[in-house]
Amino acid sequence: MSWVLVCQACGTTIEPVEPHWRCPECSGELSITGLDALGASPRKGAGLWRWSDVLPVTPPSLGTILGEGDTPLAPVEIDGVTIFLKLDSQLPTGSFKDRGAAVLARYLVEHGRNRIIVDSSGNAAAAMAAYSAAVGLKCTVFVPASASPAKLLQARAVGATVVPVDGSRSDVAKAAQSAADNDERASYASHNWHPVFVEGVKTWALEVLEQLGGRAPDVAFIPTGGGSAFVGAWRGFRAENRDMPRLIACQPAACAPIVTAWESGSEIVEAEQGETIAEGARIALPSRPSQIRQALDESDGAAAAVDDASLRDTLRLLWRRGFYVEPTGALGVAVCRSWIARGAIRPGDVVVAHVTGHGMKSTSINQAVLDEADEAS
Ligand SMILES: [Zn+2]
């Protein structure tokens, strides 16, 4: 297994000796080249580590760290169409971030780090904190002061130091980066930036291919904030060398910088900062714009937004069917429903929606969604 880091902005190629999170030459976004083709050998190992052919670290000796990987692909009929829900809400800490956190935590330990600093709107904090605890890393997480209490409690419970920061999501990231820059023993381990994180996340797509009996879906709806689930999907589907599904980046209308750029045909993604119940996608400026664009282009994909009213409606529908997911985790299904409504899903299409986070993560927002429905009835 031989791979290198490549800067998406200036093209610099870097041997993976140091655990760089962005380009040391120009601060651009990094991606990994050389881990994008699965061999034909039978899959060995457990959980997401069965895909270790295309991961930048070796599998843990016990099989998995916290039991990451192998989430269900559950079919559900909504608005007359069968949608396969990839329930990454069932990962050990309750969100898809576990895939990236498991691989990144192990990678940083292999690189001799003992302390990490991360920033998160909540789910990545919980995931990085849990995997840090499991592999013996000290973890400090910078979070927006407004993040869901359950996610922060989760990070604290597993031993992380949680630092709430007033201000925007970007302010939180800057605070974390500056803390890491000022501490020689620490590594900045941002899920939004670190190229290794996305390599772990791509295993969700590899599992979907396996669960569909080796065929690719026709279309996949993916909640998109920073873009790690979206870019991960593209890298995963590509690694199996099957037909690429149309990848749909799904954002909340109030904070949809990728959708705005996509609809205007612009290569440049401009920051947007609006309020939405999809707190995991309240990312003003995604840090992987070039890979998101490449994924949209190569998959003949699209970026699409839903307003919070539609998102609330979809949440209540999923809940009533027994799928207790958090608002961000329902973005894919909500956008999918708008496509069904305008006839954009063809009969017979195999449709997948990535469900990225569990409902227990966002109790206070869920409460408000339910109270509002009660008032309306
Ligand atoms: Zn560069």
Side-chain angles (χ1 to χ4, degrees), residues 195-211:
V196 166
F197 193 92
V198 171
E199 297 302 308
V201 172
K202 76 185 175 190
T203 57
W204 85 261
L206 292 163
E207 288 177 15
V208 166
L209 287 168
E210 185 182 59
Q211 288 165 315

Side-chain angles (χ1 to χ4, degrees), residues 71-265:
T71 57
L73 185 69
V76 59
E77 195 173 305
I78 293 178
D79 303 340
V81 170
T82 302
I83 305 175
F84 288 94
L85 304 180
K86 180 58 174 168
L87 294 173
D88 270 3
S89 45
Q90 295 190 23
L91 282 163
T93 78
S95 91
F96 82 98
K97 297 275 170 49
D98 284 7
R99 297 183 182 275
V103 174
L104 180 54
R106 192 162 162 77
Y107 172 83
L108 291 170
V109 166
E110 281 193 347
H111 278 76
R113 300 300 153 127
N114 55 18
R115 263 161 80 167
I116 61 163
I117 294 177
V118 300
D119 58 276
S120 166
S121 58
N123 280 338
M128 283 309 303
Y131 282 90
S132 293
V135 302
L137 285 166
K138 284 203 181 81
C139 177
T140 302
V141 291
F142 285 67
V143 298
S146 62
S148 274
K151 299 177 184 177
L152 307 189
L153 186 63
Q154 213 179 346
R156 270 183 57 209
V158 295
T161 304
V162 176
V163 182
V165 177
D166 286 319
S168 71
R169 186 63 186 76
S170 321
D171 296 332
V172 178
K174 280 182 204 139
Q177 286 161 19
S178 120
D181 285 346
N182 293 322
D183 184 341
E184 276 177 11
R185 292 176 302 164
S187 226
Y188 180 56
S190 162
H191 61 291
N192 279 326
W193 275 96
H194 213 294
V196 166
F197 193 92
V198 171
E199 297 302 308
V201 172
K202 76 185 175 190
T203 57
W204 85 261
L206 292 163
E207 288 177 15
V208 166
L209 287 168
E210 185 182 59
Q211 288 165 315
L212 291 175
R215 69 152 291 171
D218 294 293
V219 56
F221 292 89
I222 305 159
T224 302
S228 65
F230 189 74
V231 172
W234 168 58
R235 295 182 70 81
F237 285 121
R238 204 174 55 169
E240 262 287 26
N241 201 21
R242 312 267 172 189
D243 291 337
M244 177 67 69
R246 296 192 70 192
L247 301 178
I248 315 304
C250 304
Q251 298 208 287
C255 183
I258 297 163
V259 178
T260 305
W262 173 254
E263 287 180 346
S264 67

Side-chain angles (χ1 to χ4, degrees), residues 6-14 22-30:
V6 179
C7 174
Q8 298 291 303
C10 72
T12 299
T13 297
I14 306 152
R22 66 178 169 190
C23 175
E25 302 296 328
C26 78
S27 302
E29 110 194 48
L30 290 175

